[in-house]
């Protein structure tokens, strides 16, 4: 992509309304634009990162056996009357009336709708286990939308729903999502710690929030330091095997959000292993048994020919919130430092003097070769002063910057900078290509 033909509206001033660094940087880097409180347009650079996050989520959901579909954003109130949540949900639900005076709503989540789909087609235990998910916009009329995409009113969520014959197999479904989440967040370069979360009236131990430690997080969390060092389950993890050992390894050390916090148990840990911090909830998995299948009549025939309500779980990832969490975890005083797996472009190619006989041909050639090699490159071919070009590249945080200036090119050299370490080296165009492709 040539910067001269791209849409990258960089802000020079720091927006006053933004209280935390990720929000400030997303606005300054031209990634999002607020349209109403908690409602954003995704500008090209922001959308690129959002899509990268979605791809990682999709790949890991597929690995764990979840199947993607797409449900609508607008739902009928009648479905929610069946579960009793239409009245219970309260003011966070955005309620809509259509021209026929029918009550509709903008979905805050999809348990009712997926249960309706399930009961419409699935009749037998032979069709289980089943895990269906989508990545769709949600609306929750939050009392205090803030921190940009971290607490939006409209936000993108991945929500998966598992269906099993009994509690035992539902536990396996839960474990598959648990392991998928460990891998998903690790692939984004994040340390997300599963913490025991409130199961409400269902009880039991099957609800975990996945938390990124960050001072700007809205949750108060407590955990054992050893969790920060545990290895991520490998890519070749067999999801059809019993995943209990992995889940046990991750759930044995102490970790809880404030609602579930047990001061005595935490206090019993050695002082230097206690981590008491703030965190960002980026995922939440939950087994809720037959709560919706009972209420909505989602039953399957067993091998013995009887009918039983199906056991369900739901598994959310805050896809749009992750952008904020990623930037909170990866930035410095000059801007964002994207992990390679989610960076909007891999390389920023800077032509310090467009129109110059030395820089132009080298840049054009490199640009074409990067593109041919499938490396995403943002080519700054604009007529801006060098200082502004460097500042923009640092701000948008691409993993590598390749700078072509007349001085270096007299000796046939480009400057290659690693954004994360700040290390710079002078390389020939060939060596640059070898290093970055
Ligand atoms: P929170 O405690 O932050 O209000 P929640 O517990 O209400 O979140 P869930 O119902 O568990 O949210 O939804 C699944 C995921 O969706 C959350 O773990 C979070 O990552 C994301 N999410 C929830 N609310 C928002 C929001 N207002 N803006 C952005 N992401 C959100
Ligand atoms: Mg909430
Ligand atoms: Mg929560
Ligand atoms: Mg939650």
């Amino acid at each position: 992509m040539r910067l001269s033909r791209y849409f990258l509206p960089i802000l020079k001033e720091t927006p006053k309304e933004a209280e935390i660094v990720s929000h400030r940087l997303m606005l300054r880097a031209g990634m999002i634009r607020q349209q109403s409180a908690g409602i954003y347009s995704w500008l090209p650079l922001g959308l690129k990162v959002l899509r990268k996050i979605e791809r990682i989520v999709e790949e890991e959901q597929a690995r764990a056996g979840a199947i993607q579909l797409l449900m609508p954003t607008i739902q009928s109130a009648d479905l929610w009357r069946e579960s009793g949540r239409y009245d219970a949900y309260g003011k966070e639900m955005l309620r809509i009336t259509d021209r026929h005076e029918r009550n509709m709503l903008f979905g805050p989540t999809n348990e009712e709708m997926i249960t309706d789909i399930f009961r419409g087609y699935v009749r037998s235990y032979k069709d289980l286990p089943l895990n269906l998910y989508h990545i769709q916009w949600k609306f929750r009329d939050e009392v205090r939308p803030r921190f940009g995409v971290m607490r939006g009113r409209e936000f993108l969520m991945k929500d998966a729903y598992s269906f099993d014959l009994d509690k035992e197999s539902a536990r396996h479904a839960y474990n598959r999502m648990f392991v998928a989440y460990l891998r998903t967040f690790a692939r984004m370069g994040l340390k997300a710690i599963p913490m025991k979360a409130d199961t409400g009236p269902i009880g039991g131990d099957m609800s975990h929030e996945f938390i990124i430690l960050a001072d700007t997080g809205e949750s108060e969390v407590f955990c054992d330091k050893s969790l920060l060092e545990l290895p991520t389950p490998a890519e070749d993890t067999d999801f059809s095997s019993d995943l209990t050992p992995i889940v046990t390894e991750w759930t044995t050390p102490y970790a809880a959000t404030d609602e579930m916090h047990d001061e005595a148990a935490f206090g019993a840990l050695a002082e230097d292993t206690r981590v008491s911090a703030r965190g960002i909830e980026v995922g939440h998995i939950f087994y809720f048994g037959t709560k919706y299948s009972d209420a909505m009549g989602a039953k399957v025939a067993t091998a013995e020919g009887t009918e039983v309500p199906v056991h369900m779980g739901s598994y959310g990832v805050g896809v749009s919130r992750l952008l904020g969490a990623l930037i909170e975890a990866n930035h410095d005083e000059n801007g964002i430092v994207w992990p390679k797996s989610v960076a909007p472009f891999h390389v920023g190619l800077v032509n310090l003097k467009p129109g110059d006989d030395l820089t132009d041909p080298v840049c054009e050639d490199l640009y074409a070769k990067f593109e041919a090699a499938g490396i995403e490159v943002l080519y700054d071919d604009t007529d801006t002063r060098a200082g502004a070009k460097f500042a923009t590249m640092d701000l948008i945080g691409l993993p590598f910057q390749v700078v072509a200036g007349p001085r270096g090119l007299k000796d046939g050299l480009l400057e290659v900078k690693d954004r994360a370490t700040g290390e710079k080296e002078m390389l020939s165009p060939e060596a640059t290509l070898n290093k970055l492709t």
Side-chain angles (χ1 to χ4, degrees), residues 49 55 58 96 141 144 182 222 273 291 418 423 435:
V49 180
R55 290 297 90 80
E58 287 170 354
I96 304 165
D141 204 352
R144 243 190 114 195
L182 291 174
F222 306 86
T273 64
K291 180 173 171 183
D418 181 319
E423 264 167 47
K435 183 184 166 81

Side-chain angles (χ1 to χ4, degrees), residues 369-416:
K369 285 181 175 150
F370 276 131
E371 296 266 284
I375 300 294
E376 288 180 289
V377 51
L378 182 63
Y379 172 26
D380 184 351
D381 57 344
T382 64
D383 202 8
T384 323
R385 60 184 180 80
K389 289 188 179 217
F390 294 136
T392 294
M393 279 300 166
D394 278 353
L395 174 63
I396 67 174
L398 311 182
F400 295 100
Q401 299 169 15
V402 175
V403 182
R407 210 180 305 156
L409 281 176
K410 261 189 216 133
D411 304 321
L413 296 176
L414 300 158
E415 185 185 88
V416 179

Side-chain angles (χ1 to χ4, degrees), residues 195-265:
M195 302 205 180
K196 205 185 276 186
D198 201 359
T199 47
I202 311 288
D205 58 353
M206 289 219 275
S207 178
H208 288 87
E209 285 175 18
F210 285 74
I211 302 275
I212 312 283
L213 301 184
D215 294 339
T216 47
E218 293 186 275
S219 323
E220 210 186 340
V221 298
F222 306 86
C223 73
D224 187 320
K225 203 169 84 186
S226 64
L227 284 164
L228 295 165
E229 307 304 331
L230 284 183
T232 307
E235 192 176 318
D236 63 359
T237 301
D238 178 2
F239 279 85
S240 63
S241 70
D242 181 11
L243 299 171
T244 310
I246 302 177
V247 174
T248 304
E249 182 185 25
W250 279 88
T251 51
T252 304
Y254 187 87
T257 59
D258 55 353
E259 301 103 57
M260 295 301 287
H261 185 47
D262 174 351
E263 197 57 61

Side-chain angles (χ1 to χ4, degrees), residues 92 140 142 151:
E92 258 191 34
R140 293 183 187 177
E142 301 277 354
R151 184 166 300 283

Side-chain angles (χ1 to χ4, degrees), residues 122-139:
V122 184
R123 301 270 176 270
S124 162
Y125 74 98
K126 289 181 193 151
D127 298 321
L128 304 180
L130 184 63
N131 184 325
L132 298 171
Y133 82 98
H134 72 164
I135 299 180
Q136 178 62 291
W137 295 93
K138 306 290 188 288
F139 195 96

